[in-house]
Every structure is written in C-alpha cells, then in structure tokens.
Amino acid sequence: MAALMNAVSRVRAPARLLILLLPAAPAFAHWNTNTRRDAFIAEDFQASLLRCLPRDAFYFASGDNQMFLLSYARFVENRRPDLTFATDFALIFPNPFGEDFFRLPARDRMARRTEVMRRLAEQDPRPVGYAPAGHFSTLGIPSLPTGLLYLVRRGGRQDEGRPPAADQRITLRETPSGRSEYLSRDIIAQRHYLLGESRLARGDRPAALAAYRKAAFAAQGSGGREPVEWVATNIAASLLAHQMPEEAEGMARRAIAINPLDVNGHLNLGLA
C-alpha cells in the first residue's frame, strides 16, 4: 500500500485526481441499480404476514423468503411468540414430522409430510395456515385465501373468500429499486395471486383474472431476471378447479415456457 501511494504521489495532479476518481465511477454508474435506500419489501412482507395470522396459529412457511424473514422475527426480534412455524423440509423451525424424518426414503418422507399436514388440518384445535407455494397447497384441503396466506377452513363453514379485514393488514411498498429483485417479485406475485383466489371464491371471474394477470406479470423473468416459477402453475391449477380451461391453458403454457421440466405445468396443460 505504501508503494502504491508513493507511485500516485509522483503523478501530476490532474492525473492523480483521475486515478482517485476511477474507483468511484462504477458506484455512480450503478447507484440506482444497487441502492437500497427505499427497499422496504422484506420488512413489509414480514410484518404483513404476521398480521394475517390469527392468535396461536400453526403456520407452514415455504421458500427462502418466508423462512428467513419469519426466523428473524422469531429468533432475533421475538415477535409473535404465540405462533408455531414449520416448513415442508423441517428446516430452521422445530421438526413436526418425527425424529426419523430425515432417515426415511424420499417417497416415505412425502407420505409422512402429507399425513402430518392432514392431521393438523383435521384434528389440531389451533388455526392452521400455509403458504401458496408449499406442499400443503397441493392437498386439496378446504381453505380460505386470507391476506398473504391460506387458512384451513374449519367446521364446514362456506365463507366467501378472504375476510374483508385481511386487506387492511397488508402493507407492501413497491419501490423502484426493489422491482427487479426476486424477493420483491415473489411477494408482489403472492399478493395478487391470493387476491385472485379470493375473487374467484366469490365468483367474480373478471376481477380474479385481472389479479392473476398482475401476479403473472410480477413473476416474469424478462431482462435476465430469474422468473418466479410457482405462479403460473398455481394459477393454471386454480383456473382448472373452477372450470376455466381456456384461461388455464395459457397459464400452463407460460409455466412450461419458464421451466420445460415442470411436471405440474404439463399436467395442467393436459387437463386443459
């Protein structure tokens, strides 16, 4: 370092200034891309998700975005100690699938996971919620879209869509510096997807399709961005469940374009 400074000191003043400014050039050129001065999406998502959960609920998180944000809320901030968290793969939070879960063959792990989730939904007295993209969402258990998650429907109630108060629990500040990030696009897609689910449950198909289109737009991966894969697949499955095969076909094709190996995407396309 001393030798470098000595070499710089022997250079003429204008050239010396240029040398000192060179490292700053990339910072100025890419400032708007990399600044996080207005990136509140992680904070907003964590707070909104916690507000959507009833007291003493059991919640199955899915994906890194939820697991990391909820683990920070639990283990660092000690927020909502009344809640119980778990994940599909028994990571980070206490394992609800049994001590031998990780020693089981893959097929048996899947069966155990399904068995435990169904038992919780049917027998546990606590409210049970789950993320849109997790294994729980594939089990066909009657549920209500509620804000940023699903809540298992209990007692045969036929509630129409998400409770109105859920909208008031959600604050997601979309900011210019955050719109290209995977985290932001995944969260915004979840929000619009669940709005579509709620509208569809109430029979408002035009409003549901509008919300689904917004979810698909948020999830797209143009410009070198990684697409949010689960969105188009889940939308296609929802449309098929509500006898909308033409609309489902378009979403299934979008899912396959994102990931040609998406088994559920091909299944949805075949059913459409």
Side-chain angles (χ1 to χ4, degrees):
M1 179 61 70
L4 176 62
M5 295 305 296
N6 288 334
V8 170
S9 66
R10 292 195 294 269
V11 177
R12 292 177 179 271
R16 188 186 312 161
L17 180 61
L18 180 61
I19 291 172
L20 294 175
L21 288 176
L22 279 175
F28 285 110
H30 301 285
W31 180 264
N32 288 333
T33 301
N34 294 292
T35 180
R36 294 296 176 267
R37 67 184 181 276
D38 56 359
F40 303 106
I41 194 73
E43 177 185 353
D44 289 349
F45 180 63
Q46 181 210 72
S48 297
L49 186 61
L50 293 176
R51 284 197 295 269
C52 290
L53 284 164
R55 183 170 180 79
D56 299 322
F58 192 114
Y59 181 70
F60 274 95
S62 177
D64 294 349
N65 291 341
Q66 290 202 9
M67 288 192 293
F68 294 150
L69 293 175
L70 291 177
S71 63
Y72 188 86
R74 166 56 48 82
F75 302 124
V76 179
E77 299 178 324
N78 194 32
R79 300 183 64 189
R80 294 298 306 272
D82 59 297
L83 301 175
T84 301
F85 297 124
T87 66
D88 288 358
F89 300 100
L91 301 174
I92 301 180
F93 302 110
N95 172 13
F97 305 122
E99 294 181 359
D100 62 339
F101 181 69
F102 292 107
R103 297 193 296 272
L104 297 174
R107 181 178 297 180
D108 292 343
R109 283 200 303 272
M110 178 72 75
R112 175 73 62 79
R113 185 184 298 124
T114 299
E115 175 191 352
V116 170
M117 289 179 172
R118 286 194 179 280
R119 186 167 63 244
L120 279 166
E122 295 167 2
Q123 301 177 15
D124 198 290
R126 294 170 293 181
V128 176
Y130 58 92
H135 180 67
F136 215 118
S137 66
T138 68
L139 302 181
I141 295 172
S143 305
L144 296 170
T146 305
L148 292 171
L149 50 92
Y150 287 100
L151 289 176
V152 172
R153 185 160 47 198
R154 295 285 175 73
R157 294 184 292 112
Q158 298 299 317
D159 307 67
E160 295 186 353
R162 186 189 65 260
D167 274 341
Q168 302 170 13
R169 306 173 199 154
I170 298 171
T171 301
L172 296 177
R173 285 169 282 183
E174 299 183 33
T175 55
S177 68
R179 287 176 188 153
S180 64
E181 295 179 344
Y182 184 92
L183 170 64
S184 300
R185 291 183 290 113
D186 182 38
I187 292 170
I188 294 166
Q190 285 186 48
R191 175 72 178 117
H192 290 301
Y193 168 73
L194 285 166
L195 280 174
E197 293 284 277
S198 175
R199 304 299 186 253
L200 203 56
R202 289 204 281 257
D204 191 345
R205 292 190 172 191
L209 289 172
Y212 285 148
R213 283 192 290 269
K214 290 181 179 179
F217 178 78
Q220 67 186 4
S222 60
R225 300 179 300 181
E226 180 185 0
V228 183
E229 289 191 14
W230 66 268
V231 178
T233 299
N234 281 33
I235 292 174
S238 294
L239 293 171
L240 284 171
H242 286 81
Q243 289 76 52
M244 302 172 68
E246 293 184 7
E247 295 84 352
E249 179 182 351
M251 284 296 173
R253 292 189 183 280
R254 182 192 289 257
I256 294 170
I258 292 172
N259 180 7
L261 300 179
D262 183 354
V263 174
N264 290 321
H266 287 283
L267 175 62
N268 290 333
L269 183 59
L271 292 174

